């Protein structure tokens, strides 16, 4: 794998050059991003494709910072980690925040790697079949679009760079911001093309690779976002309905009968492609498709201060709220799985489980979705884990279909009702495919069904970094954050209450999006800052 890592290193060299141009007497135009003779074999195309995927697992993205340290949980949780005080994780956001800067940079690293691969995938002298070439093309095109999706949902309009950056000269780095709608238009165009080229999920065999189902499912998500605030392209609900329906109509995907098992599988590197359609792969011993490790469960797990091979260390940066805990009905198995009823203390070097009392504040409880005790890779390291992270699960597709149908037709039909109930039945520990007259939701009215779907999304998908985008597109982000602050006991002095109040109280209306990083504004003079920053 040395070739791809050499390419990745060259990208890093360019960033080093651009950040040090005042210190070095060099001509940056001499330093190119990629070797001219690269992409000369099928193996090199696949190595390069691995590099495009690898940016997802970067520590600035899903590998670390996004895992509870950037406020993406919005009103379903709050960050309790002293190292992130007065940062984006605490909603004390500034244009100089390094996590925001590095998020931007890592997304564009992924975009540039995709651009270089797309520019060379048709090299005539490569011995590869048309289908394999197109599959690589489709994966790279989807991933480029996904990185732009990650950018537009955090910053709105960003520079659209669709060709390789040839060198680090100042001229090469000047790109104006496209509008948010222009970025979304490119995302839709690229993903729709990619869907025709990539393989069906049944042939891919792994959630770590892009399949038709992954593209269609994310297209449903993209269209839902466009249908909501601030774009309000309500006709996009019809497109979301179509794409979610394509995933369902494949007849391949199904809910895992056990909600808990979905996340145990992530901890144990077991693919369940029927449920987990697209995921970021990590492996602490370096044997994954794109070898890297992450911090899933270490950041966003149940707090455990002990470094051991039994439980595994977790700094537990995410604590729940009464609001999230209260969304669950009696008997919902997801409540105590997602909002953990216990934590660990150090008892003479051994991790000892401590149960929360029934009447203890839910603000103390940690995210329990990603549990290190189920990991099988040894030793359990204190700074990295092998757990994969979900980007798209089948339950999300079912809920997107239900939401889109309700918006298009101003009420639910049999399918929309059934898909919502399938997700809820599994949460109750029931067979998701069998009707449950005593528990099934039956109200087809537009307003009641909309509320139920909106409540079901955090019950099912909490801590999967979808909540902030959901409440932003529904136009309720600021109001929800204010409501959570008001619900937090105002006079209690326990540290977790103080942290929760500070988190929610710091939010301003402008926080629906992040500021353009100051460094990027300095390098690219054509950028314009977001309002309010």
């Amino acid at each position: 794998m040395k070739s791809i890592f050499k390419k990745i290193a060259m990208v890093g060299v360019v960033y080093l050059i651009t950040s040090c141009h005042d210190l070095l007497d060099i001509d940056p135009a001499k330093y190119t991003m990629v070797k001219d003779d690269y992409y000369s074999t099928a193996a090199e195309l696949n190595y390069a494709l691995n590099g495009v995927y690898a940016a997802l697992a970067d520590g600035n993205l899903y590998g670390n910072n996004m895992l509870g340290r950037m406020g993406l949980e919005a009103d379903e949780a709050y960050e309790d980690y002293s190292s992130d005080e007065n940062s984006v994780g605490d909603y004390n956001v500034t244009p100089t925040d390094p996590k925001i800067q590095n998020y931007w940079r890592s997304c564009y690293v992924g975009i540039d790697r995709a651009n270089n691969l797309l520019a060379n995938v048709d090299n005539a002298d490569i011995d590869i079949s048309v289908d394999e070439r197109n599959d690589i093309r489709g994966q790279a095109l989807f991933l480029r679009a996904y990185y732009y999706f990650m950018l537009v949902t955090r910053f709105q309009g960003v520079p659209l760079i669709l060709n390789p950056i040839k060198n680090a000269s100042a001229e090469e780095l000047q790109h104006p911001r496209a509008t948010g709608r222009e970025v979304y238009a490119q995302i839709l165009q690229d993903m729709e093309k990619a869907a025709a080229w990539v393989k069906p999920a049944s042939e891919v065999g792994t959630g770590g690779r892009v399949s038709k189902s992954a593209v269609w499912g994310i297209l449903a998500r993209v269209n839902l976002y466009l249908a909501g605030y601030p774009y309000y392209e309500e006709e996009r609900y019809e497109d979301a309905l179509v794409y979610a329906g394509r995933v369902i109509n494949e007849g391949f995907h199904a809910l895992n009968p056990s909600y808990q098992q979905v996340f145990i599988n992530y901890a144990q590197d077991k693919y369940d492609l029927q449920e987990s359609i697209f995921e970021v792969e990590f492996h602490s011993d370096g044997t994954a498709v794109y070898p890297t490790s992450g911090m899933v469960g270490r950041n966003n797990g149940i707090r455990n201060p002990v470094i051991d091979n039994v439980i595994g260390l977790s700094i537990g940066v995410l604590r729940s709220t009464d609001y999230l805990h209260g969304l669950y009905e009696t008997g919902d198995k997801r409540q105590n799985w997602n909002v953990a009823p216990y934590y660990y203390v150090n008892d003479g070097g051994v991790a000892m489980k401590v149960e929360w009392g029934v009447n203890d504040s839910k603000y103390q409880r940690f995210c329990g979705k990603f549990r290190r005790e189920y990991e099988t890779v040894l030793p359990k390291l204190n700074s990295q884990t092998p757990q994969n992270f979900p980007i798209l699960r089948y339950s999300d597709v079912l809920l997107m279909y239900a939401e889109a149908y309700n918006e298009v037709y101003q009420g639910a039909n049999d399918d929309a009702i059934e898909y919502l109930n399938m997700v809820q039945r599994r949460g109750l520990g029931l067979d998701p495919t069998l009707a449950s007259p005593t528990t099934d939701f039956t109200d087809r009215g537009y307003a009641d069904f909309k509320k139920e779907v909106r409540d079901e999304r955090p019950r099912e998908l909490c801590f999967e970094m979808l909540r902030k985008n959901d409440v932003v597109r529904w136009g309720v982000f600021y109001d929800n954050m204010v409501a959570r602050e008001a619900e937090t006991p105002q006079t209690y002095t326990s540290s977790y209450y103080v942290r929760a109040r500070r988190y929610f109280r710091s939010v301003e209306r402008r926080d629906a999006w992040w500021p353009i990083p100051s460094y990027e504004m300095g390098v690219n003079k054509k950028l314009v800052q977001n309002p309010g920053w």
Side-chain angles (χ1 to χ4, degrees):
M1 303 279 290
K2 290 181 180 178
S3 298
I4 183 60
F5 294 122
K6 184 183 295 183
K7 175 177 181 291
I8 294 170
M10 293 175 72
V11 173
V13 167
V14 172
Y15 273 115
L16 176 62
I17 292 170
T18 59
S19 63
C20 300
H21 60 85
D22 291 332
L23 302 178
L24 301 176
D25 184 16
I26 59 175
D27 178 4
K30 295 179 180 178
Y31 293 85
T32 58
M33 295 290 276
V34 185
K35 296 190 306 176
D36 291 337
D37 60 347
Y38 200 79
Y39 309 102
S40 57
T41 68
E44 287 187 343
L45 287 183
N46 280 292
Y47 293 157
L49 180 60
N50 286 348
V52 183
Y53 277 100
L56 287 174
D58 189 272
N60 300 316
L61 301 179
Y62 290 100
N64 179 358
N65 287 348
M66 289 175 66
L67 303 172
R69 302 183 62 199
M70 301 187 79
L72 302 180
E73 291 70 30
D75 63 336
E76 65 189 14
Y78 66 96
E79 186 184 357
D80 183 14
Y81 186 43
S82 59
S83 296
D84 285 344
E85 288 183 10
N86 300 313
S87 77
V88 61
D90 218 19
Y91 274 94
N92 284 300
V93 183
T94 67
T96 58
D97 191 299
K99 288 198 284 296
I100 292 177
Q101 163 67 44
N102 291 331
Y103 180 101
W104 172 289
R105 179 171 294 179
S106 290
C107 285
Y108 274 109
V109 166
I111 288 165
D112 189 66
R113 292 177 188 173
N115 283 339
N116 277 288
L117 177 53
L118 291 167
N120 290 277
V121 70
D122 285 322
N123 287 355
D125 58 346
I126 299 177
D127 184 16
I128 189 173
S129 72
V130 173
D131 287 346
E132 288 302 309
R133 194 188 301 262
N134 282 338
D135 183 44
I136 292 172
R137 186 199 324 276
Q139 292 180 68
L141 197 59
F142 170 83
L143 289 169
R144 183 179 75 177
Y146 188 75
Y147 289 121
Y148 274 119
F149 187 46
M150 293 177 71
L151 288 166
V152 76
T153 55
R154 311 291 181 224
F155 302 99
Q156 296 199 75
V158 295
L160 270 177
I161 303 171
L162 305 177
N163 296 295
I165 295 176
K166 298 177 181 178
N167 56 61
S169 66
E171 293 77 12
E172 278 284 320
L173 301 177
Q174 305 306 301
H175 298 274
R177 291 181 70 177
T179 66
R181 279 193 168 90
E182 289 170 337
V183 177
Y184 269 108
Q186 187 67 47
I187 291 168
L188 291 169
Q189 176 181 306
D190 284 355
M191 289 190 178
E192 287 162 359
K193 287 181 180 179
W197 286 322
V198 298
K199 298 175 183 178
S202 58
E203 294 181 20
V204 172
T206 166
R209 288 290 183 180
V210 175
S211 65
K212 289 186 184 295
S213 295
V215 180
W216 290 333
I218 297 298
L219 272 167
R221 184 180 293 170
V222 170
N223 279 285
L224 280 181
Y225 288 14
L226 267 174
Y229 177 80
Y231 305 103
Y232 292 120
E233 296 182 10
E234 294 185 3
E235 68 277 10
R236 295 291 179 182
Y237 284 119
E238 295 185 37
D239 296 320
L241 185 63
V242 168
Y243 285 118
R246 287 184 183 177
V247 179
I248 295 166
N249 293 334
E250 279 283 274
F252 173 76
H253 297 285
L255 295 176
N256 190 308
S258 167
Y259 183 78
Q260 296 91 327
Q261 190 61 45
V262 173
F263 302 96
I264 294 172
N265 287 341
Y266 290 131
Q268 297 180 348
D269 291 313
K270 295 178 180 177
Y271 294 126
D272 176 10
L273 192 51
Q274 288 184 298
E275 164 86 30
S276 183
I277 298 173
F278 188 39
E279 60 195 71
V280 184
E281 291 194 278
F282 298 102
H283 209 296
S284 61
D285 67 1
T287 62
V289 173
Y290 36 96
T292 189
S293 58
M295 297 188 180
V296 181
R298 185 263 186 190
N299 283 6
N300 53 349
I302 303 168
R303 186 168 292 176
N304 173 36
V306 181
I307 300 173
D308 63 12
N309 283 325
V310 179
I311 306 300
L313 179 139
S314 174
I315 61 176
V317 303
L318 280 180
R319 291 188 189 253
S320 179
T321 59
D322 281 351
Y323 168 74
L324 176 61
H325 188 270
L327 284 175
Y328 294 98
E329 301 292 334
T330 301
D332 196 321
K333 308 295 184 184
R334 297 171 298 185
Q335 185 182 60
N336 280 341
W337 181 264
N338 293 333
V339 185
Y342 61 89
Y343 64 106
Y344 295 98
V345 297
N346 189 336
D347 183 22
V350 176
M352 181 178 73
K353 180 186 289 188
V354 178
E355 302 278 351
W356 295 114
V358 175
N359 296 320
D360 284 342
S361 170
K362 306 308 181 289
Y363 285 87
Q364 298 179 81
R365 295 194 178 193
F366 298 100
C367 165
K369 182 168 275 187
F370 305 100
R371 305 190 180 199
R372 295 207 65 188
E373 54 258 51
Y374 290 98
E375 295 172 12
T376 56
V377 175
L378 298 177
K380 293 188 178 182
L381 304 177
N382 66 337
S383 61
Q384 53 191 7
T385 81
Q387 296 198 41
N388 291 2
F389 190 87
I391 292 179
L392 177 69
R393 294 194 290 114
Y394 187 54
S395 57
D396 189 5
V397 174
L398 296 174
L399 294 176
M400 288 192 290
Y401 182 99
E403 179 181 354
Y405 189 97
N406 191 53
E407 294 295 335
V408 171
Y409 296 103
Q410 297 295 287
N413 69 345
D414 288 347
D415 285 342
I417 285 278
E418 177 63 10
Y419 297 152
L420 170 64
N421 280 320
M422 286 172 64
V423 177
Q424 292 186 339
R425 289 174 202 144
R426 181 184 57 182
L428 292 168
L430 304 173
D431 186 330
T433 65
L434 297 179
S436 175
T438 60
T439 63
D440 281 353
F441 187 82
T442 58
D443 194 330
R444 296 168 181 261
Y446 171 75
D448 288 340
F449 190 78
K450 178 171 77 171
K451 181 181 185 305
E452 190 66 20
V453 171
R454 289 189 177 189
D455 286 347
E456 186 63 22
R457 288 188 64 81
R459 292 182 195 124
E460 174 71 18
L461 303 167
C462 61
F463 310 124
E464 295 179 40
M465 293 185 290
L466 298 172
R467 181 61 176 175
K468 185 179 179 184
N469 287 341
D470 278 348
V471 291
V472 166
R473 69 183 176 90
W474 292 333
V476 299
F477 165 70
Y478 180 74
D479 290 344
N480 278 25
M481 297 296 273
V482 169
R484 299 295 86 78
E485 195 276 332
E487 294 164 3
T488 307
Q490 300 297 303
T491 59
Y492 293 4
T493 58
S494 297
S495 61
Y496 48 88
Y497 284 129
V498 173
R499 290 285 298 178
R501 286 197 298 267
R502 183 168 63 234
Y503 174 88
F504 291 114
R505 193 174 292 165
S506 298
V507 174
E508 301 180 41
R509 291 188 184 277
R510 67 181 185 176
D511 287 316
W513 289 278
W514 293 333
I516 304 299
S518 294
Y519 178 83
E520 300 302 326
M521 297 282 292
V523 172
N524 181 359
K525 303 302 182 182
K526 293 185 178 181
L527 287 176
V528 178
Q529 186 56 274
N530 278 330
W533 299 98

